[in-house]
């Protein structure tokens, strides 16, 4: 057999935000990574544009917010069309509007600076697994002579980040149980129309949403109660969107100029496993949900943050037993919880007159502070807590709290915060005790590029920290806090592999 065109450690299929985030995480962790993308250029439509608090924290943890700048706030949140205050304990409370094309530009620049290679204009057609490798075949767009050329890539692992109609998932035979859509929301970006802004405006015949965006373009979304889900291939016609809009609202937008059309339904599916041997799934390839409230994009980016450092450790040979399997163990339940949340929202949002009493009751419940905080944390992604050993510190498994550090860090220009300490993509022991401790000594066998130590004092005036010493994973979740030295050593072995020989 001839040699492949490309040999790499990890092949990521799909250069959307999730695939590019994963590529950057892998490259940061020291893995050789190639991204295969069917498109030849950037997006031409807006698509997903809402970033939630946890995603903004992840971008901060990789030092990307300065390049992104301060995006415009996305206004009030909602749960199933009912207004919801998204205030959380994050420094990035609320929601932020960043066009998907900008998110992709940001993440691709970061990943390629770290050494990832992005190969565009190639469509995956075949996957063949061997005991130690996976071989992928992709076809390029036909050349001037009319014949398509094939590209062969050999990798130790392949990750499908290629969306809800994932070719990787199909070729690798992942089970994808769930249900198809029974309700549908039509969406269009339209120029040259004048319609009032509508925020989840309910009419006797359906739901209407409209908002004027930059450049005078108006986005309209409409659902007609009881209407069958469209079965035509591709996006809906503008005539169908305009006719539905007129029946629901009484307004005519048919004279406008459509710039982009699509539709999405309330289908709900999740891969039974996120890993099958050397092939893994992330983002919409692993879970298909209605993109209500912007949760789909953010869920996928958090998949990538969880998987990247683990898979990089696996290909480097430093991972302990079971580290890579912990990706499915942690992210499958997290995904299931979000899918259940979205299913409830879809029912409230697209249900007809029979849901009005439920909506009214739900509105009353949202006025309760604990209910509001619970749902805001779920949508923002800041309440994700991975499983911990019984009796562990309450922070173990949760995301690291944001702490600003004062003077006294262990380097002249030490990290200014608990988020900044994670920018190298390694584990971090944060010690706030102000004195040498056995905890610091215990980490020494892992200070070979796997775990850093930051000794710091909290910035004066900040809230009192919830720990004295804590071990942070590269994805910003707490692996150990204020326990015994043997418990710390067990956490180090679990998440960062065996101790180095002295």
């Amino acid at each position: 057999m001839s040699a492949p065109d490309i040999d790499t450690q990890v092949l990521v299929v799909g250069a959307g935000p999730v695939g590019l985030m994963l590529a950057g995480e892998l490259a940061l962790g020291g893995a050789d990574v190639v991204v295969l993308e069917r498109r030849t250029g950037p997006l031409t439509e807006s698509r997903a544009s809402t970033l939630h608090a946890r995603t903004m924290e992840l971008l901060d943890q990789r030092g990307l917010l300065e390049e992104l700048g301060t995006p415009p706030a996305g206004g009030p949140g909602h749960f199933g069309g009912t207004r919801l205050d998204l205030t959380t304990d994050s420094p990035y409370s609320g929601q932020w509007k960043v066009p998907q094309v900008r998110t992709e530009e940001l993440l691709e620049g970061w990943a390629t600076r770290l050494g990832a290679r992005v190969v565009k204009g190639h469509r995956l057609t075949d996957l063949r697994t061997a005991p130690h490798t996976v071989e992928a075949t992709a076809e390029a767009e036909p050349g001037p002579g009319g014949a398509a050329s094939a590209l062969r890539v050999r990798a130790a692992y392949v990750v499908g980040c290629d969306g809800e109609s994932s070719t990787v998932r199909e070729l690798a035979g992942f089970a994808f149980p769930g249900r198809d859509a029974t309700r549908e929301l039509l969406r269009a970006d339209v120029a040259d129309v004048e319609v009032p802004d509508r925020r989840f405006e309910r009419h006797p015949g359906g739901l209407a949403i409209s908002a004027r965006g930059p450049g005078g373009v108006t986005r309209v979304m409409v659902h007609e109660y009881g209407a069958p889900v469209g079965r035509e291939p591709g996006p809906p016609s503008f005539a169908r969107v305009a006719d539905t809009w007129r029946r629901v609202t009484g307004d005519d937008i048919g004279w406008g100029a459509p710039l982009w059309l699509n539709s999405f339904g309330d289908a709900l599916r999740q891969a039974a496993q996120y890993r099958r041997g050397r092939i893994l799934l992330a983002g919409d390839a692993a879970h298909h949900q209605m993109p209500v409230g912007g949760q789909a994009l953010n869920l996928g980016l958090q998949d990538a943050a969880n998987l990247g450092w683990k898979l990089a450790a696996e290909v480097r040979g430093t991972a302990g037993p079971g580290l890579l399997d912990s990706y499915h163990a942690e992210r499958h339940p997290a995904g299931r919880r979000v899918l259940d949340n979205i299913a409830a929202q879809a029912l409230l949002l697209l249900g007809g007159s029979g849901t009005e009493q439920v909506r009214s009751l739900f509105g009353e419940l949202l006025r309760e502070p604990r209910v509001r905080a619970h749902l805001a944390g779920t949508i923002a992604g800041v309440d994700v807590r991975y499983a911990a050993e019984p009796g562990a510190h309450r922070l173990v498994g949760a995301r690291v709290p944001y702490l600003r550090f004062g003077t006294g860090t262990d380097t002249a220009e030490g990290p200014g915060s608990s988020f900044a300490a994670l920018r190298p993509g390694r584990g971090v022991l944060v010690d706030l005790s102000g004195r040498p401790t056995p905890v610091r000594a215990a980490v020494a066998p892992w200070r070979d590029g796997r775990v850093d130590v930051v000794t710091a004092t909290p910035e004066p005036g900040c809230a009192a920290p919830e720990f004295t010493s804590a071990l942070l994973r590269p994805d910003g979740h707490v692996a150990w806090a204020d326990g015994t030295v043997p418990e710390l050593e067990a956490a180090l072995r679990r998440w960062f592999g065996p101790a180095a020989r002295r």
Side-chain angles (χ1 to χ4, degrees), residues 39-57:
R39 288 179 286 142
T40 57
L43 283 172
T44 57
E45 63 268 3
S46 53
R47 293 195 182 180
S49 61
T50 299
L51 301 184
H52 287 143
R54 181 57 184 152
T55 297
M56 294 290 283
E57 291 180 357

Side-chain angles (χ1 to χ4, degrees), residues 68 102 117 132 169 198 212-213 289 344 377 390 430 469 484 490 497:
L68 179 63
R102 176 66 184 118
R117 292 171 285 170
H132 303 292
R169 188 182 67 230
R198 293 176 167 93
R212 176 66 67 93
Q289 60 285 307
V430 176
S469 297
T484 66

Side-chain angles (χ1 to χ4, degrees), residues 475-494:
D475 59 355
H477 282 259
V478 179
W480 169 92
D482 289 349
T484 66
V485 168
E487 289 169 343
L488 171 60
E489 292 171 335
L492 286 161
R493 287 191 295 270
R494 177 183 180 188

